Amino acid sequence: MIWDWIQKQLLGMKWLEQAVGAGLRAVGVDTASRWGASAQFFVYDVIKISILLCVLIYIVSYIQSFFPPERSKRLIGHFHGIGANFAAALLGTVTPFCSCSSIPLFIGFTSAGLPLGVTFSFLISSPMVDLGSLMLLTGVFGSKVAILYVAIGLLVAVVGGTLIERLHMEDEVEAFIRNASASALEEAQMTTKERLSYAKEQVQGTFRKVFPYILIGVGIGAVIHNWIPQDWIETILGNRNPFGVVLAVLVGIPIYADIFGTIPIAEALLYKGVPLGTILSFMMAVTTLSVPSLILLRKAVRPKLLAVFLMICMVGIMLVGYGFNAIEFLI
């Protein structure tokens, strides 16, 4: 009962949904109508995600302050083989929240001489899986789904990086990165006050950058939730369409957002009866393979390696989607 309360009231903030509905009805809005229900969904989700976003960024940024790039590089350097890939994937869970901000760290790790497959494990994991996603997904889908999502996301990152390592594509990294000498930056020990200040700055900077995407994502979610017939959604993305997962991935790639922007869309799709695996595939594609991040990555790697990275991630995400759809009845 305590865990149920944490999921629904603390993370899911069902009390907030009821309060928003009561407030709208108090000013004459009929929350049973489409427009009223859309307004309730929009206000509730914007407030809920904004609160969770700020709290989670603050916590994760404080943890991240213990892992500056040089220290992270040394930590990964202690591992070898698949263990290094796993360490890099785990490190990705406490680093930036979107793929575009992960790429500069990927470039730094590559320049520092870390194996290419290891740096790609980090690059896949960083936007796809983080501590914030674990907490948010718990609030929306429950703890089982959240833990499975994180575990499988880490697996995709480890397997993807390992495959790239086995292909020996080091020559496909742009020359200016291969020839760069990693500067040995001195690590200044931060005090607790400085760490708290750093976390606060990260909250302010990240929130300003992410908030427009939250508004867009919640807006799309409100439209799906209240205006698009369920039969349409099920026909396109439901079990009746064997290519629903493929379509979800292809639709997700052009969208630039992080997991905070995709959560309201995923929530609306779940309400409309879309299979869980299809929803998670969409989320993974948006967070990992957005077009802006691929354009930025192209500056660091050549087209052949970029195409391999894209193909490995797409196939891995699709397998995750079909796998989740197959076992959804067990969750």
Side-chain angles (χ1 to χ4, degrees):
M1 291 179 63
I2 294 175
W3 183 243
D4 188 59
W5 180 87
I6 291 173
Q7 288 186 105
K8 292 182 178 179
Q9 300 299 331
L10 184 61
L11 299 176
M13 296 188 190
K14 294 302 180 183
W15 58 269
L16 177 62
E17 184 178 22
Q18 295 168 0
V20 169
L24 290 173
R25 288 189 292 271
V27 296
V29 177
D30 180 11
T31 55
S33 68
R34 282 187 175 182
W35 284 107
S38 297
Q40 182 177 0
F41 183 95
F42 186 85
V43 174
Y44 158 64
D45 259 38
V46 168
I47 296 174
K48 177 186 73 173
I49 293 175
S50 295
I51 292 173
L52 288 174
L53 173 66
C54 291
V55 172
L56 292 171
I57 292 176
Y58 193 88
I59 294 171
V60 172
S61 297
Y62 184 82
I63 296 172
Q64 185 186 340
S65 68
F66 291 92
F67 299 94
E70 280 299 311
R71 184 179 184 188
S72 300
K73 183 193 72 176
R74 289 201 302 270
L75 285 173
I76 298 174
H78 290 309
F79 297 89
H80 302 282
I82 199 168
N85 292 90
F86 186 71
L90 280 179
L91 181 64
T93 64
V94 291
T95 45
F97 289 90
C98 69
S99 50
C100 284
S101 53
S102 304
I103 290 172
L105 281 174
F106 160 78
I107 292 173
F109 289 156
T110 306
S111 300
L114 288 177
L116 186 62
V118 173
T119 60
F120 267 99
S121 287
F122 167 82
L123 183 62
I124 296 170
S125 167
S126 181
M128 183 186 291
V129 182
D130 56 58
L131 297 179
S133 68
L134 177 62
M135 302 302 290
L136 267 178
L137 288 168
T138 299
V140 176
F141 298 110
S143 57
K144 290 182 181 179
V145 173
I147 293 170
L148 275 173
Y149 175 87
V150 171
I152 294 178
L154 289 172
L155 179 63
V156 170
V158 171
V159 172
T162 302
L163 287 174
I164 289 175
E165 186 71 25
R166 296 289 175 85
L167 292 173
H168 301 292
M169 303 184 72
E170 287 76 11
D171 290 343
E172 295 299 315
V173 177
E174 292 292 352
F176 77 92
I177 294 177
R178 295 200 313 269
N179 299 331
S181 56
S183 56
L185 299 176
E186 292 185 5
E187 283 182 32
Q189 282 286 25
M190 299 175 69
T191 64
T192 300
K193 183 177 180 180
E194 288 171 336
R195 295 187 194 282
L196 294 174
S197 177
Y198 168 77
K200 180 181 177 182
E201 291 171 1
Q202 290 294 103
V203 170
Q204 294 170 341
T206 305
F207 184 76
R208 282 195 297 267
K209 182 174 67 174
V210 169
F211 188 66
Y213 300 107
I214 293 176
L215 294 178
I216 294 170
V218 175
I220 295 172
V223 171
I224 294 172
H225 197 281
N226 298 290
W227 292 90
I228 299 180
Q230 183 163 338
D231 287 346
W232 293 11
I233 298 291
E234 289 183 346
T235 300
I236 297 171
L237 296 175
N239 284 324
R240 287 179 286 180
N241 182 3
F243 300 103
V245 171
V246 177
L247 183 60
V249 172
L250 295 178
V251 169
I253 290 175
I255 301 173
Y256 176 59
D258 55 23
I259 195 162
F260 297 100
T262 59
I263 282 287
I265 301 175
E267 194 174 3
L269 291 173
L270 184 68
Y271 175 81
K272 289 293 185 179
V274 176
L276 181 61
T278 305
I279 295 172
L280 296 181
S281 292
F282 169 77
M283 294 172 61
M284 285 181 167
V286 171
T287 55
T288 310
L289 298 174
S290 67
V291 170
S293 69
L294 294 176
I295 293 173
L296 187 57
L297 182 59
R298 170 61 188 89
K299 296 179 180 179
V301 302
R302 293 174 180 168
K304 183 178 178 181
L305 179 52
L306 182 65
V308 169
F309 166 74
L310 179 61
M311 187 58 61
I312 287 175
C313 288
M314 286 180 63
V315 171
I317 290 171
M318 289 177 189
L319 290 175
V320 169
Y322 283 113
F324 259 101
N325 285 348
I327 65 170
E328 185 175 2
F329 71 96
L330 296 175
I331 302 175

